[in-house]
Amino acid sequence: MTENVVRKANVRLIYSIFVELNYDDLTDGTVFVYKIKSDSDDLFFDNFYIATFDDQEDNIVWGVGPTPLDALKNAEREWDRYCNEEEGECSNPFRETLEKLGDMQIEDTYSGKVTVKEVLNVPVKDGSVFVYEIEDDEGELFSCEFYIATFDNLRNKIVWGVGNTPRSALEDAERNWDRLGDEFPNPFREALEKLIEEGNNMLLNY
């Protein structure tokens, strides 16, 4: 299912903004938007952006997209979904960031490198679904590794989902595909069903 391709990618900081959350159970922090650019043609994804929230202890990735705005909007939706499932109503740092986006200056500064490792390659109808693990080389950008899910169908190699496990990245991609209503059947749903049916260890051990 995978050849364990390992490559490097560059990380550039695009935006940063301090956010006051005004909730007793949440700490103020900083929203960052980074651009990740592949150094290799062996990786089946185009350049993409991630949106993170750093609460002064952990810098966690919440959203991904082909543009900074897409990454922030996906992070906003994911934060709301988490709050609804786990905590109920809570302040959303990405919504506050989107409201201030017009006042933010593009920084575009080099931040470091990450190691990109292919962990899943699932053939599906019309293409293949890939999941990559992304790990901060220096351990200074992100609090832990994260995963991205892509669909390669020869037309594009867009990153559709992000998560802290391969499964959560695939589930995020599945939701984003459904929301955008692409003309093809959802490849991430097909990949998830296939992996669950096979009892795939990479999927089940997280």
mmCIF file of all heavy atoms in Angstrom, residues 140-165:
data_model
loop_
_atom_site.group_PDB
_atom_site.id
_atom_site.type_symbol
_atom_site.label_atom_id
_atom_site.label_comp_id
_atom_site.label_asym_id
_atom_site.label_seq_id
_atom_site.Cartn_x
_atom_site.Cartn_y
_atom_site.Cartn_z
ATOM 1 N N GLU A 140 10.744 22.907 16.435
ATOM 2 C CA GLU A 140 10.496 24.256 16.932
ATOM 3 C C GLU A 140 9.246 24.902 16.337
ATOM 4 O O GLU A 140 8.773 25.923 16.842
ATOM 5 C CB GLU A 140 11.710 25.150 16.633
ATOM 6 C CG GLU A 140 12.979 24.698 17.346
ATOM 7 C CD GLU A 140 14.173 25.562 17.002
ATOM 8 O OE1 GLU A 140 14.028 26.440 16.132
ATOM 9 O OE2 GLU A 140 15.238 25.355 17.599
ATOM 10 N N LEU A 141 8.708 24.334 15.263
ATOM 11 C CA LEU A 141 7.549 24.941 14.607
ATOM 12 C C LEU A 141 6.235 24.395 15.143
ATOM 13 O O LEU A 141 5.339 25.154 15.523
ATOM 14 C CB LEU A 141 7.615 24.705 13.100
ATOM 15 C CG LEU A 141 8.724 25.427 12.334
ATOM 16 C CD1 LEU A 141 8.751 24.951 10.888
ATOM 17 C CD2 LEU A 141 8.509 26.931 12.395
ATOM 18 N N PHE A 142 6.115 23.067 15.144
ATOM 19 C CA PHE A 142 4.860 22.409 15.500
ATOM 20 C C PHE A 142 5.077 21.500 16.705
ATOM 21 O O PHE A 142 6.145 20.921 16.877
ATOM 22 C CB PHE A 142 4.324 21.608 14.317
ATOM 23 C CG PHE A 142 4.383 22.348 13.012
ATOM 24 C CD1 PHE A 142 5.189 21.924 11.989
ATOM 25 C CD2 PHE A 142 3.635 23.506 12.834
ATOM 26 C CE1 PHE A 142 5.265 22.620 10.797
ATOM 27 C CE2 PHE A 142 3.707 24.219 11.647
ATOM 28 C CZ PHE A 142 4.527 23.774 10.628
ATOM 29 N N SER A 143 4.020 21.348 17.510
ATOM 30 C CA SER A 143 4.147 20.585 18.750
ATOM 31 C C SER A 143 4.267 19.088 18.504
ATOM 32 O O SER A 143 4.794 18.363 19.330
ATOM 33 C CB SER A 143 2.939 20.862 19.651
ATOM 34 O OG SER A 143 2.879 22.236 19.955
ATOM 35 N N CYS A 144 3.751 18.607 17.379
ATOM 36 C CA CYS A 144 3.827 17.180 17.080
ATOM 37 C C CYS A 144 3.673 16.990 15.584
ATOM 38 O O CYS A 144 3.314 17.924 14.857
ATOM 39 C CB CYS A 144 2.749 16.404 17.837
ATOM 40 S SG CYS A 144 1.066 16.938 17.454
ATOM 41 N N GLU A 145 3.961 15.779 15.111
ATOM 42 C CA GLU A 145 3.765 15.506 13.700
ATOM 43 C C GLU A 145 2.281 15.583 13.351
ATOM 44 O O GLU A 145 1.420 15.431 14.208
ATOM 45 C CB GLU A 145 4.325 14.127 13.329
ATOM 46 C CG GLU A 145 3.531 12.947 13.844
ATOM 47 C CD GLU A 145 3.892 12.570 15.269
ATOM 48 O OE1 GLU A 145 4.712 13.266 15.884
ATOM 49 O OE2 GLU A 145 3.348 11.562 15.762
ATOM 50 N N PHE A 146 1.995 15.822 12.079
ATOM 51 C CA PHE A 146 0.607 15.801 11.624
ATOM 52 C C PHE A 146 0.564 15.097 10.273
ATOM 53 O O PHE A 146 1.603 14.753 9.694
ATOM 54 C CB PHE A 146 0.011 17.211 11.556
ATOM 55 C CG PHE A 146 0.709 18.157 10.618
ATOM 56 C CD1 PHE A 146 0.270 18.327 9.308
ATOM 57 C CD2 PHE A 146 1.801 18.911 11.047
ATOM 58 C CE1 PHE A 146 0.902 19.203 8.446
ATOM 59 C CE2 PHE A 146 2.442 19.799 10.185
ATOM 60 C CZ PHE A 146 1.993 19.949 8.889
ATOM 61 N N TYR A 147 -0.647 14.860 9.790
ATOM 62 C CA TYR A 147 -0.838 14.071 8.575
ATOM 63 C C TYR A 147 -1.703 14.843 7.583
ATOM 64 O O TYR A 147 -2.614 15.578 7.979
ATOM 65 C CB TYR A 147 -1.504 12.724 8.904
ATOM 66 C CG TYR A 147 -0.654 11.865 9.815
ATOM 67 C CD1 TYR A 147 -0.683 12.059 11.192
ATOM 68 C CD2 TYR A 147 0.195 10.892 9.296
ATOM 69 C CE1 TYR A 147 0.113 11.299 12.042
ATOM 70 C CE2 TYR A 147 0.988 10.113 10.134
ATOM 71 C CZ TYR A 147 0.947 10.331 11.501
ATOM 72 O OH TYR A 147 1.742 9.577 12.341
ATOM 73 N N ILE A 148 -1.407 14.675 6.298
ATOM 74 C CA ILE A 148 -2.227 15.285 5.248
ATOM 75 C C ILE A 148 -2.730 14.180 4.320
ATOM 76 O O ILE A 148 -2.070 13.154 4.142
ATOM 77 C CB ILE A 148 -1.446 16.336 4.440
ATOM 78 C CG1 ILE A 148 -0.201 15.724 3.787
ATOM 79 C CG2 ILE A 148 -1.091 17.529 5.317
ATOM 80 C CD1 ILE A 148 0.493 16.637 2.791
ATOM 81 N N ALA A 149 -3.902 14.407 3.749
ATOM 82 C CA ALA A 149 -4.502 13.444 2.819
ATOM 83 C C ALA A 149 -4.693 14.125 1.468
ATOM 84 O O ALA A 149 -5.214 15.238 1.386
ATOM 85 C CB ALA A 149 -5.845 12.946 3.352
ATOM 86 N N THR A 150 -4.242 13.449 0.397
ATOM 87 C CA THR A 150 -4.337 13.999 -0.946
ATOM 88 C C THR A 150 -4.978 12.983 -1.886
ATOM 89 O O THR A 150 -5.012 11.781 -1.598
ATOM 90 C CB THR A 150 -2.944 14.364 -1.504
ATOM 91 O OG1 THR A 150 -2.251 13.164 -1.901
ATOM 92 C CG2 THR A 150 -2.114 15.097 -0.474
ATOM 93 N N PHE A 151 -5.468 13.495 -3.008
ATOM 94 C CA PHE A 151 -6.010 12.630 -4.053
ATOM 95 C C PHE A 151 -5.306 12.977 -5.354
ATOM 96 O O PHE A 151 -5.343 14.125 -5.802
ATOM 97 C CB PHE A 151 -7.518 12.845 -4.200
ATOM 98 C CG PHE A 151 -8.145 12.083 -5.348
ATOM 99 C CD1 PHE A 151 -7.956 10.718 -5.485
ATOM 100 C CD2 PHE A 151 -8.925 12.741 -6.284
ATOM 101 C CE1 PHE A 151 -8.530 10.018 -6.532
ATOM 102 C CE2 PHE A 151 -9.512 12.047 -7.340
ATOM 103 C CZ PHE A 151 -9.305 10.683 -7.461
ATOM 104 N N ASP A 152 -4.638 12.002 -5.947
ATOM 105 C CA ASP A 152 -3.922 12.203 -7.202
ATOM 106 C C ASP A 152 -4.696 11.509 -8.315
ATOM 107 O O ASP A 152 -4.787 10.278 -8.337
ATOM 108 C CB ASP A 152 -2.504 11.623 -7.103
ATOM 109 C CG ASP A 152 -1.744 11.775 -8.418
ATOM 110 O OD1 ASP A 152 -2.089 12.674 -9.192
ATOM 111 O OD2 ASP A 152 -0.818 10.981 -8.662
ATOM 112 N N ASN A 153 -5.262 12.316 -9.220
ATOM 113 C CA ASN A 153 -6.011 11.751 -10.350
ATOM 114 C C ASN A 153 -5.489 12.277 -11.678
ATOM 115 O O ASN A 153 -6.216 12.380 -12.652
ATOM 116 C CB ASN A 153 -7.505 12.033 -10.221
ATOM 117 C CG ASN A 153 -7.797 13.527 -10.330
ATOM 118 O OD1 ASN A 153 -6.886 14.357 -10.285
ATOM 119 N ND2 ASN A 153 -9.064 13.881 -10.491
ATOM 120 N N LEU A 154 -4.205 12.660 -11.698
ATOM 121 C CA LEU A 154 -3.498 13.172 -12.871
ATOM 122 C C LEU A 154 -3.881 14.610 -13.211
ATOM 123 O O LEU A 154 -3.139 15.300 -13.896
ATOM 124 C CB LEU A 154 -3.720 12.268 -14.103
ATOM 125 C CG LEU A 154 -3.293 10.802 -13.938
ATOM 126 C CD1 LEU A 154 -3.559 10.034 -15.229
ATOM 127 C CD2 LEU A 154 -1.817 10.710 -13.560
ATOM 128 N N ARG A 155 -5.047 15.084 -12.733
ATOM 129 C CA ARG A 155 -5.446 16.471 -13.011
ATOM 130 C C ARG A 155 -4.878 17.424 -11.975
ATOM 131 O O ARG A 155 -4.492 18.543 -12.279
ATOM 132 C CB ARG A 155 -6.971 16.602 -13.025
ATOM 133 C CG ARG A 155 -7.652 15.840 -14.143
ATOM 134 C CD ARG A 155 -9.124 16.239 -14.197
ATOM 135 N NE ARG A 155 -9.746 16.177 -12.882
ATOM 136 C CZ ARG A 155 -10.896 16.765 -12.580
ATOM 137 N NH1 ARG A 155 -11.523 17.487 -13.484
ATOM 138 N NH2 ARG A 155 -11.419 16.623 -11.380
ATOM 139 N N ASN A 156 -4.863 17.023 -10.732
ATOM 140 C CA ASN A 156 -4.344 17.879 -9.673
ATOM 141 C C ASN A 156 -3.889 17.019 -8.499
ATOM 142 O O ASN A 156 -4.183 15.834 -8.436
ATOM 143 C CB ASN A 156 -5.400 18.898 -9.215
ATOM 144 C CG ASN A 156 -6.668 18.231 -8.726
ATOM 145 O OD1 ASN A 156 -6.636 17.441 -7.787
ATOM 146 N ND2 ASN A 156 -7.795 18.540 -9.354
ATOM 147 N N LYS A 157 -3.162 17.646 -7.594
ATOM 148 C CA LYS A 157 -2.645 16.949 -6.418
ATOM 149 C C LYS A 157 -2.886 17.821 -5.188
ATOM 150 O O LYS A 157 -1.974 18.192 -4.472
ATOM 151 C CB LYS A 157 -1.152 16.635 -6.604
ATOM 152 C CG LYS A 157 -0.868 15.713 -7.764
ATOM 153 C CD LYS A 157 0.611 15.434 -7.937
ATOM 154 C CE LYS A 157 1.328 16.592 -8.569
ATOM 155 N NZ LYS A 157 2.735 16.271 -8.904
ATOM 156 N N ILE A 158 -4.157 18.155 -4.985
ATOM 157 C CA ILE A 158 -4.532 19.054 -3.899
ATOM 158 C C ILE A 158 -4.538 18.311 -2.568
ATOM 159 O O ILE A 158 -4.949 17.158 -2.490
ATOM 160 C CB ILE A 158 -5.930 19.648 -4.174
ATOM 161 C CG1 ILE A 158 -5.893 20.509 -5.440
ATOM 162 C CG2 ILE A 158 -6.433 20.466 -2.993
ATOM 163 C CD1 ILE A 158 -7.259 20.989 -5.887
ATOM 164 N N VAL A 159 -4.085 18.993 -1.526
ATOM 165 C CA VAL A 159 -4.211 18.466 -0.164
ATOM 166 C C VAL A 159 -5.624 18.774 0.314
ATOM 167 O O VAL A 159 -6.026 19.936 0.401
ATOM 168 C CB VAL A 159 -3.163 19.097 0.773
ATOM 169 C CG1 VAL A 159 -3.376 18.603 2.199
ATOM 170 C CG2 VAL A 159 -1.753 18.763 0.294
ATOM 171 N N TRP A 160 -6.374 17.735 0.645
ATOM 172 C CA TRP A 160 -7.790 17.885 1.006
ATOM 173 C C TRP A 160 -8.045 17.835 2.507
ATOM 174 O O TRP A 160 -9.078 18.331 2.968
ATOM 175 C CB TRP A 160 -8.617 16.798 0.329
ATOM 176 C CG TRP A 160 -8.834 17.030 -1.120
ATOM 177 C CD1 TRP A 160 -8.009 16.659 -2.151
ATOM 178 C CD2 TRP A 160 -9.944 17.700 -1.726
ATOM 179 N NE1 TRP A 160 -8.535 17.054 -3.348
ATOM 180 C CE2 TRP A 160 -9.730 17.694 -3.123
ATOM 181 C CE3 TRP A 160 -11.101 18.284 -1.224
ATOM 182 C CZ2 TRP A 160 -10.629 18.261 -4.017
ATOM 183 C CZ3 TRP A 160 -12.004 18.843 -2.118
ATOM 184 C CH2 TRP A 160 -11.763 18.835 -3.494
ATOM 185 N N GLY A 161 -7.157 17.211 3.270
ATOM 186 C CA GLY A 161 -7.434 17.062 4.697
ATOM 187 C C GLY A 161 -6.175 17.036 5.529
ATOM 188 O O GLY A 161 -5.088 16.710 5.041
ATOM 189 N N VAL A 162 -6.333 17.374 6.809
ATOM 190 C CA VAL A 162 -5.224 17.364 7.755
ATOM 191 C C VAL A 162 -5.734 16.814 9.082
ATOM 192 O O VAL A 162 -6.921 16.949 9.417
ATOM 193 C CB VAL A 162 -4.634 18.790 7.938
ATOM 194 C CG1 VAL A 162 -5.649 19.714 8.603
ATOM 195 C CG2 VAL A 162 -3.327 18.769 8.706
ATOM 196 N N GLY A 163 -4.852 16.172 9.844
ATOM 197 C CA GLY A 163 -5.243 15.636 11.147
ATOM 198 C C GLY A 163 -4.037 15.182 11.933
ATOM 199 O O GLY A 163 -2.912 15.141 11.415
ATOM 200 N N ASN A 164 -4.278 14.824 13.190
ATOM 201 C CA ASN A 164 -3.167 14.360 14.031
ATOM 202 C C ASN A 164 -2.958 12.853 13.936
ATOM 203 O O ASN A 164 -2.069 12.310 14.587
ATOM 204 C CB ASN A 164 -3.371 14.791 15.492
ATOM 205 C CG ASN A 164 -4.672 14.265 16.073
ATOM 206 O OD1 ASN A 164 -5.429 13.559 15.407
ATOM 207 N ND2 ASN A 164 -4.936 14.588 17.326
ATOM 208 N N THR A 165 -3.772 12.171 13.118
ATOM 209 C CA THR A 165 -3.593 10.756 12.804
ATOM 210 C C THR A 165 -3.918 10.559 11.326
ATOM 211 O O THR A 165 -4.599 11.401 10.718
ATOM 212 C CB THR A 165 -4.520 9.844 13.633
ATOM 213 O OG1 THR A 165 -5.875 10.068 13.219
ATOM 214 C CG2 THR A 165 -4.372 10.111 15.130
#
